[in-house]
Amino acid sequence: MKLFPYGHATHPEWGMAVELVLAQLRAQMASPDYADQPTLGLVYITDHFAAHAQDLLDHVCHALPGVTDWSGTVGVGIAANQVEYFDEPAVAILLCDLPPERYRVFSGIAPLSTHAVDGFVPHTALLHADGQTPDLTELITEMAQRTRSGYVFGGLSASRGASVQFSLSAQGSTAGRHPGSGVFQGGLSGVAFSADVPLISRVTQGCLPVAPERTITACEQHVLLTLDDRPALEVLLEDLQVSLSEPRAAMAKIRATLVGLSQGTQPSLRRTGEFGDEVMVRHLIGLDPERQAVAIAQAVEPGMRLTWCQRNASAARADLLRIGAEIRESLEPETLPLDLAQQLAEGSLSQPHPARRIAGAIYVSCAGRGGPHFGAPSAELQLVRRALGDVPLVGFFAGGEIAHQHVFGYTGVLTVFTSETESTE
C-alpha cells in the first residue's frame, strides 16, 4: 500500500483554498511514493466554508474524476499533519488508495446494509454525525452493531453555521455522482471498511481525576441521587473540598469540574492515575440542594462508576504520547538498525519511512482541545507528528468524538491505515 495523497490550505476564497489543495494532491500523485489512482476521498472543511460545501464538492469531483467516492464533514477547526486551522477558512483532503470492493460510503438516505452485499462485509466504520440528531447515541450503537468488530470511530460535526456532511459514491450507495448531490445535514454518514482494510485506532483522554472513584447507587435519568449510598451533592462537595456556605468559591470549582463515567464491570483508571479509553467525560449541568442531587449531561444507571475530573493539559499531552507510542510499537519491526531506531524514537525523520507502515491517518479531536489547550498553536498536531512521523494525516475538531460505540468528550481519536492487519481496538 502506497502513501495516501493529502493536502491542506487556508484562503479567504474557497475556490483558491481548494486549488492550493489540488496542487498538493497532484504533485504527490506524480511521486512514486504516493498512490496515483486513489478512489476514496475524505474532505474536511472549517465552518467558514459550510455555505459553499456543495460548490466545493462539485469542484473537487470535477478536478479529480478518478476519485469516485467522497465522505467528510465540517468542524470549527480542521487538522492536517502537524498543523491545525482554527477559526479560519480552510480545507483538508486525504485520498485513500483502497480497492472499491473493500469499503462502502453510506448516509441516512443510503444506509449501510446489515447483510453482505456483493461480498462486502463491514468490519469497522468511520462516522460523521450531526449532534442534534434525535437518539444519536442509539444510532451510533446500532451502526456499530452492523460491523463485525463492533468498533466505529469519527466525530460529531461542529459548526457555527450549517452542520454539513459529505457523502457521495459512484457505487450506487448514495444519490449518485452529479452536480448538486452529496452534501447532507442531519443524521450520520461515513465509510464502512472490510476486514481487508487494516486499521489501528486509539482514544486519548484529556482529563485527570481529582477525587476517588464512586459508584452510582440511585439515579433518575440524568440526575444523580446517591453515590456510594450517600447524597450525591454531599459527596460532590466533600470530594471537591468546598461548601455552599461560600457559594462564590464553591461554584467556581464546581464549574471547572466534569464527570467521568464508566460501566461498573470495567476499571476506569490506569495505574498511572489517568482515565482508560472506556470512560465518557460529561458536564455537570445542575445542582438540586433540596434533594441533595446533581444533574449531569448523560443518562446513567445504578452500578455505573463515576469520578470527578478536570481538563488537564499535562495529562492530555502524556496520554497523546502514550497512544502514539502504542501505535508505533505495533507497527515497527522487532529489530531495526540503531541509527534508524534512534531517528524513529526522536521523530526526526523528515520523510515517511517503511518501518512505520502507515499509509495515512485520521485524527478527530475535541473542539475544546487543540493548540490553546496544549500550550501553543498546532501543538496537539505536532505531538501526533512526533509520534507517527511525517505521514499523510487529516481530521477535524469535533463537537464530540466517536470511538468503540460511544460519544466521548475532551478526547482525541487517532486512526491509522496500515499495510498489514492489526486489531482496531
Side-chain angles (χ1 to χ4, degrees), residues 3-263:
L3 294 171
F4 293 171
Y6 78 112
H8 51 95
T10 177
H11 194 279
E13 299 291 333
W14 71 265
M16 284 299 299
V18 170
E19 285 300 322
L20 291 170
V21 171
L22 288 172
Q24 297 169 53
L25 295 174
R26 289 172 179 139
Q28 291 174 8
M29 292 166 70
S31 167
D33 294 329
Y34 287 81
D36 60 354
Q37 295 182 321
T39 58
L40 172 63
L42 302 178
V43 54
Y44 297 109
I45 61 174
T46 60
D47 55 3
H48 290 71
F49 288 157
H52 306 287
Q54 188 66 67
D55 291 335
L56 189 150
L57 181 60
D58 291 343
H59 188 86
V60 296
C61 285
H62 178 76
L64 299 169
V67 182
T68 57
D69 306 286
W70 291 90
S71 183
T73 192
V74 60
V76 293
I78 62 172
N81 183 11
Q82 74 176 341
V83 65
E84 61 193 35
Y85 299 95
F86 257 108
D87 199 27
E88 59 181 322
V91 59
I93 294 177
L94 179 73
L95 302 182
C96 305
D97 183 30
L98 301 173
E101 66 272 14
R102 295 185 180 181
Y103 67 86
R104 290 290 185 274
V105 174
F106 61 87
S107 68
I109 64 171
L112 184 65
S113 175
T114 56
H115 306 288
V117 178
D118 297 330
F120 175 79
V121 178
H123 183 72
T124 186
L126 166 65
L127 299 185
H128 306 121
D130 187 331
Q132 301 302 313
T133 301
D135 302 321
L136 179 61
T137 301
E138 289 78 6
L139 287 174
I140 292 172
T141 299
E142 192 269 340
M143 181 59 66
Q145 292 171 348
R146 291 174 181 236
T147 68
R148 286 289 177 89
S149 70
Y151 185 91
V152 293
F153 61 97
L156 309 186
S157 306
S159 176
R160 290 161 291 192
S163 294
V164 297
Q165 299 172 47
F166 299 98
S167 184
L168 185 65
S169 176
Q171 301 176 28
S173 60
T174 57
R177 186 170 172 158
H178 56 80
S181 66
V183 176
F184 304 88
Q185 293 188 53
L188 54 80
S189 62
V191 186
F193 302 100
S194 73
D196 295 320
V197 178
L199 302 172
I200 300 178
S201 189
R202 294 288 185 271
V203 179
T204 176
Q205 299 277 12
C207 295
L208 194 66
V210 295
E213 190 172 61
R214 304 292 186 178
T215 300
I216 299 173
T217 47
C219 56
E220 294 178 359
Q221 295 293 322
H222 295 255
V223 179
L224 304 172
L225 298 175
T226 64
L227 301 173
D228 296 340
D229 294 318
R230 296 173 54 200
L233 181 56
E234 176 184 305
V235 174
L236 171 64
L237 298 175
E238 178 183 300
D239 285 346
L240 299 184
Q241 299 181 354
V242 295
S243 171
L244 293 182
S245 63
E246 299 179 357
R248 181 172 296 181
M251 293 310 298
K253 198 161 188 178
I254 290 172
R255 288 192 185 100
T257 300
L258 304 163
V259 56
L261 298 167
S262 64
Q263 295 297 327

Side-chain angles (χ1 to χ4, degrees), residues 339-355:
D339 59 340
L340 176 57
Q342 184 174 359
Q343 286 180 296
L344 289 171
E346 295 174 350
S348 59
L349 286 176
S350 59
Q351 296 295 325
H353 193 277

